[in-house]
Amino acid sequence: MESEDKKVPYHFGEKIRTVRERKGYTLKTVAQRAGVSESLVSQIERNRVSPAIDTLLALADVLDINLEFLFEEYRRKRPVQIIRADERKKISEDDVVYEELAKPVEADGQYAMESFMMEIPVGAHTHRGSYGHLGREIGFIVQGKAQLHYENLVYNLSEGDSVSFSASSPHTLSNTGDIPLKAFWTVSPPQRFLQ
């Protein structure tokens, strides 16, 4: 037999009841204003049923509840994002290949970031940052030799070196070695894997 937790995975009930009681509303008042039955509101408050999204939105509207407040428990239960090795998105810009390691999370707002492994063939370089963009970048050279061209300066980087900088100035990364350059990179806010 299924447990109650498996039948109703999201527990909005306690929050809805707490807000309703703080506002001094009866079950009947909330039900009438939301256009649902009193018994349904009661069942939702006791986590006996999981409400349809339109019902949940109607209740949130009647009680003036922020949806973030209702869903924060769900987010807390899923704090870890995993991208399996065989499920990573890849994009190419000319010869440079970017393999997504961390997806941007819209809810992170100004703290959103993306991380990727980039592979740059011998003699090739990145293009996207050549005019600069908002945010910051942090990189780590996993394999090979590179040059970071930042404004009118050039920085030589080798395996194991890391670099961080404001992305607002023009910048490109070139492979100056004799093997493919592999680098782990983090950008905030996200630039490449926005979807």
Side-chain angles (χ1 to χ4, degrees), residues 32-45:
Q32 286 176 339
R33 291 183 184 176
V36 297
S37 72
E38 190 176 335
S39 125
L40 178 60
V41 175
S42 174
Q43 288 180 30
I44 291 168
E45 285 189 357

Side-chain angles (χ1 to χ4, degrees), residues 159-175:
E159 189 172 309
D161 291 345
S162 61
V163 62
S164 64
F165 52 89
S166 167
S168 60
S169 293
H171 55 279
T172 57
L173 189 69
S174 303
N175 182 346

Side-chain angles (χ1 to χ4, degrees), residues 13 62 194:
V62 166
L194 293 172

